[in-house]
Amino acid sequence: MASLVNAAATTTPGQPSRQNAPIGQFEIVGQSIVSAQQLFLGTTNKVYVVDKTERNPTPINGHPAWASEYDINSDNGRPMDIVTNSFCAGGNVLGNGTWLNAGGNQAVTFGGLTAPSQNGGAPYDDLDGGQSLRLLTPCDDGSCDWTIQGEMTTRRWYPTLETLEDGSIIILGGCAWGGFVNDASQTQPTYEFFPSKGDGAPIQSPLLANTLPANLYPLTWLLPSGKVFMQANWGTAILDYKAQQEFELPDMIHAVRTYPASAGTAMLPLTPANNWTATILFCGGTDLQSDQWKTNWDIASYPASSSCVTITPDVSQNYVEDDDMLEARSMFNLIFLPDGTIFGCNGAGTGVAGYGNDSWAVGQSYGDNAVLNPAIYDPSAAAGQKWSRSGLSASTIPRMYHSTATLLPDGAVLVSGSNPNADYNVGPGVKFPTEYRVERFYPSYYNQRRPQPQGLPSTLSYGGPYFNVTLSKDDLSSNTSNTASSEVIIIRTGFSTHAMNMGQRYVQLENSYTINVDGTATLHVSQVPPNAAILAPGPALLFVVVNGVPSIGVPVMVGSGQLGTQNILSVAPLPATSSQSAPNTATSSTPGSNSQTEASSALPLRFSSDSFLLPLVTLAVWTFGTLVL
C-alpha cells in the first residue's frame, strides 16, 4: 500500500457561526467602504474590494479610498491605499498565493474626468494606473497592503488575467484609454505575462485584432490540454501560448457574451466522471451586432438574451445548445457552490454594462430592469430541468454594472457592488446609486449540520500518494450508505469583476472508501490529477461534501507554493472500496465515479482531440527566476 501524505493537516472544519440563516434568501450584513467593482476572497476571513478612483466618503492618507479589506466574521472593513487608478483592472492569483491586479485608467478628477496631473494631486491624489501591476499578499492581521510592482509593456483597460500551469499569469487584451467599447485607435490586441517570459515583448493575438468593438475582458480559460480558450465578441480561438499560435474556432452563437454584453460564464465542474474534461457555459448577454455598439440609440431598453450554450474545446470545436435561463439577463454572475450546482445572481433584463451622459440612459446606466431573482443551475440535471429557483427569494438591491459576488468558506455567497455612475452618486431620485451594502445569500444546505472531516491536508500535489479523510457517525448522519456519495472538492473562487470570476474553478478529487465497523468511514483520496493545467497551482478551498451537504471550506495550497515548473508525480492506486461492517452499509462494489477501484484509479488521464487541435502539450513547462516581492 502506498504511503499516505505526511503534510500537516488543517484544523478540522467546524460549523458555521450562523445557525439560523434565512435559507434561500439574501441578508444585508455590512458595508464594503468602497463600491465592489472588483472583489476576491483572500483568506478564510478576508475579502478584498477594489473600486475605481472616485469620491467615496471614507478617506485614507488624505484622499478618498478606492480599495478596502472586508472582514467576513465581523462584517466590518478597513480602507486600503492602492495608489493608482484601478478602474476596470483585471486580476488573478499567482501560484505562490500573491494576488495580481493589472491595468486600469488614467488619473481622474471629479466625474471621472482626466486629472490635470497624472502623478498625483488634488482632489483624489490618484496616479495613472493604465500600466500598473499591483500586488497583494493577503493577511488576517490587518497589516497587508497593495504594492506597485513595475509596469506592463502597454496600457491595458479591461484586461483579462488567467493563471497558467507554472503559476505565472497571462494578461490579455484591453484598450489604452477606455470608453464604452473598444476601437481601432486604442485597441491592445496582444498578450503578455507576469512575471515576463522570453524577451517580455507583447505578442499579437489575431482573435483580439479581429473582434472589435466588443472584445474587452476577453473570456479566457486555461484548458486541461495546456492550451488557452479565448472568446471575444462573436469570435472564438484556441491559443497555444507556448508556440505563440492561435487556431480559429466557429463563432459564438445567439449572443455576444463578452463585456459590455457581460454574460454569465463558468467552466463546469471537472470530475472523475468526465475525466476532468473542460466544458464552458455561457448564459445571457445580448445579440447586438458589431455595428450596433453605438450610443446614438436607446441601448438600455434593448432586451438581453436568455440563451445558454456550452463548448468542450479539447473535444469539439462546436458550440452546443443548453437550457435557456429563466429570464433574459446581462451582467450575470455565476458562482460555484460546493454541492456541484452554480448560483446565478445580479444583472439586468435590458441593456448592457456601461454608463454615460446620454439622454436615453437610466440616470447614467446603460442597463435597466434589474433582475433581483437568483437562480440555480444544476449541470447534472436532465435537459430542460437545469435551471431552478425553487425555494429562492429575490434580493432587494439592484445589482447592475460593477456588481460582484464570491463563494465564502462557509458555503454562503457574498454579493456586493453596483455603480453605473461616473462618480459617487447616492442622491435622491437616483435609480441605480453607488452601492456599498454587502449581502450574503444562504443556499439550501446552509443550516444543516456540516461534516467535520478529519485528516484534511494543507497542501496538495499533482499526483502522488493518496490521503485518508475520516468521517464520523455524525458526519454520515448515522447512515453509512451516505459514504458512497461523499466527495472531496477543490474550489478556487476567482477574481470577480464585470460578471466574471477570473480563475474560478471546481475540481473533484477521485476517491474510494472504507466503511468501518464502528459506523465511521474513511475516504481514500487521490491528489490533484497529474496535470497542472487541470487546476493551476495556488491557494484554493477544500470541501468534503456528504449527502449534498458541504463541510466548511479549509484553505489548501495546490502545488509547490512557488512559481515555476510543478512537480508531476505518479498516481498512487487507491485501495478498493470496502466495508468492514454488515448493517446499514454500502456494498463493497465500486459505486460511481467518485469511488473507483485500485485498478481503475491508476488509469492515465484521457483527453480526446479533433483534428483541428494540435497534439496535446507535455506536462513540462519552463522555469523562470524567483519572483521578488
Side-chain angles (χ1 to χ4, degrees):
M1 182 178 296
S3 61
L4 302 181
V5 170
N6 294 319
T10 62
T11 302
T12 300
Q15 301 298 314
S17 58
R18 179 77 183 271
Q19 300 298 319
N20 59 343
I23 296 301
Q25 299 180 43
F26 294 86
E27 180 182 41
I28 299 171
V29 295
Q31 297 273 334
S32 60
I33 298 180
V34 302
S35 189
Q37 179 192 125
Q38 303 156 42
L39 177 151
F40 62 91
L41 179 69
T43 77
T44 55
N45 188 42
K46 294 294 192 290
V47 168
Y48 292 90
V49 184
V50 180
D51 198 0
K52 60 184 170 69
T53 301
E54 59 183 325
R55 193 168 43 90
N56 292 311
T58 301
I60 186 170
N61 295 335
H63 62 80
W66 61 92
S68 69
E69 177 187 78
Y70 186 84
D71 187 288
I72 299 168
N73 290 338
S74 68
D75 287 309
N76 294 312
R78 70 173 174 99
M80 302 179 75
D81 198 347
I82 201 167
V83 182
T84 62
N85 190 353
S86 49
F87 185 18
C88 296
N92 216 318
V93 64
L94 291 154
N96 60 5
T98 294
W99 287 80
L100 173 64
N101 182 280
N105 192 20
Q106 60 192 313
V108 298
T109 182
F110 300 116
L113 300 176
T114 302
S117 168
Q118 293 297 299
N119 298 308
Y124 293 151
D125 197 27
D126 59 325
L127 282 67
D128 182 3
Q131 291 180 248
S132 284
L133 293 165
R134 312 170 189 89
L135 295 177
L136 175 71
T137 300
C139 64
D140 274 322
D141 63 3
S143 65
C144 49
D145 214 334
W146 289 96
T147 61
I148 301 298
Q149 183 76 26
E151 292 187 335
M152 293 180 289
T153 62
T154 188
R155 304 184 63 84
R156 296 189 189 273
W157 197 0
Y158 304 98
T160 296
L161 277 64
E162 177 73 350
T163 308
L164 301 174
E165 307 101 304
D166 60 1
S168 67
I169 287 176
I170 186 171
I171 306 171
L172 306 102
C175 61
W177 303 105
F180 174 42
V181 290
N182 205 353
D183 64 79
S185 69
Q186 62 164 338
T187 186
Q188 305 286 20
T190 62
Y191 57 93
E192 59 185 285
F193 302 91
F194 182 85
S196 62
K197 300 182 187 293
D199 64 5
I203 303 161
Q204 291 292 311
S205 165
L207 175 76
L208 297 178
N210 296 326
T211 49
L212 291 172
N215 67 355
L216 300 174
Y217 280 140
L219 299 169
T220 305
W221 289 267
L222 175 67
L223 298 172
S225 63
K227 310 295 193 304
V228 172
F229 176 88
M230 301 170 59
Q231 202 282 314
N233 204 350
W234 295 95
T236 307
I238 297 289
L239 169 64
D240 183 342
Y241 70 90
K242 295 167 187 171
Q244 300 182 13
Q245 293 180 318
E246 279 184 20
F247 303 88
E248 185 177 356
L249 302 188
D251 282 352
M252 174 59 71
I253 57 176
H254 299 313
V256 175
R257 315 293 181 173
T258 40
Y259 170 87
S262 300
T265 60
M267 179 181 284
L268 297 183
L270 299 161
T271 70
N274 61 33
N275 197 40
W276 300 280
T277 303
T279 295
I280 303 168
L281 174 70
F282 305 82
C283 287
T286 182
D287 65 1
L288 289 175
Q289 300 301 307
S290 295
D291 61 353
Q292 293 180 289
W293 291 102
K294 301 174 181 177
T295 58
N296 59 359
W297 64 288
D298 186 2
I299 296 174
S301 67
Y302 190 82
S305 173
S306 62
S307 68
C308 291
V309 299
T310 64
I311 189 170
T312 307
D314 284 335
V315 175
S316 171
Q317 58 185 304
N318 297 313
Y319 287 99
V320 177
E321 304 276 358
D322 204 79
D323 288 6
D324 282 355
M325 295 188 294
L326 301 177
E327 65 277 297
R329 188 159 3 193
S330 63
M331 296 177 280
F332 187 34
N333 272 100
L334 294 178
I335 304 298
F336 285 130
L337 301 181
D339 64 0
T341 62
I342 301 175
F343 175 73
C345 63
N346 302 346
T350 61
V352 296
Y355 60 79
N357 293 315
D358 300 274
S359 60
W360 49 265
V362 183
Q364 291 184 309
S365 174
Y366 286 178
D368 199 5
N369 297 297
V371 182
L372 301 175
N373 288 305
I376 299 285
Y377 177 91
D378 185 351
S380 66
Q385 301 176 37
K386 293 186 176 182
W387 286 103
S388 171
R389 63 166 50 101
S390 176
L392 308 185
S393 299
S395 171
T396 59
I397 303 175
R399 300 290 187 183
M400 304 292 282
Y401 184 40
H402 292 152
S403 298
T404 47
T406 188
L407 178 71
L408 298 178
D410 65 0
V413 178
L414 186 143
V415 184
S416 194
S418 188
N419 188 21
N421 300 283
D423 208 333
Y424 171 77
N425 188 0
V426 296
V430 179
K431 187 173 184 180
F432 303 124
T434 304
E435 186 62 68
Y436 300 112
R437 288 175 291 176
V438 176
E439 294 174 289
R440 278 196 181 95
F441 174 84
Y442 300 98
S444 60
Y445 52 70
Y446 192 86
N447 286 342
Q448 297 187 54
R449 195 267 181 195
R450 302 299 188 89
Q452 297 184 170
Q454 298 182 31
L456 297 179
S458 58
T459 61
L460 290 170
S461 59
Y462 295 103
Y466 65 87
F467 58 94
N468 284 339
V469 174
T470 303
L471 298 174
S472 69
K473 287 183 180 180
D474 289 339
D475 294 337
L476 297 169
S477 301
S478 298
N479 184 350
T480 55
S481 64
N482 286 330
T483 311
S485 62
S486 298
E487 298 175 343
V488 180
I489 303 299
I490 308 170
I491 296 180
R492 192 172 60 208
T493 53
F495 178 94
S496 180
T497 187
H498 291 74
M500 301 175 292
N501 281 62
M502 297 179 188
Q504 181 181 218
R505 197 161 292 208
Y506 180 115
V507 175
Q508 178 188 343
L509 301 181
E510 188 173 23
N511 75 272
S512 62
Y513 60 84
T514 299
I515 296 175
N516 303 313
V517 174
D518 61 0
T520 65
T522 302
L523 303 181
H524 314 294
V525 188
S526 291
Q527 302 281 331
V528 179
N531 176 359
I534 288 176
L535 181 64
L541 293 175
L542 184 66
F543 296 87
V544 176
V545 183
V546 180
N547 198 28
V549 179
S551 68
I552 301 296
V554 298
V556 63
M557 176 60 77
V558 178
S560 66
Q562 300 178 6
L563 306 188
T565 302
Q566 300 298 301
N567 193 21
I568 306 299
L569 305 173
S570 298
V571 178
L574 293 175
T577 285
S578 64
S579 173
Q580 299 177 4
S581 58
N584 187 30
T585 64
T587 67
S588 61
S589 61
T590 301
S593 61
N594 66 312
S595 309
Q596 297 189 14
T597 64
E598 182 172 346
S600 64
S601 67
L603 291 175
L605 298 180
R606 302 174 301 278
F607 294 108
S608 301
S609 61
D610 287 347
S611 59
F612 77 95
L613 290 175
L614 287 178
L616 296 181
V617 298
T618 63
L619 295 176
V621 292
W622 57 79
T623 306
F624 44 82
T626 302
L627 175 64
V628 178
L629 300 181

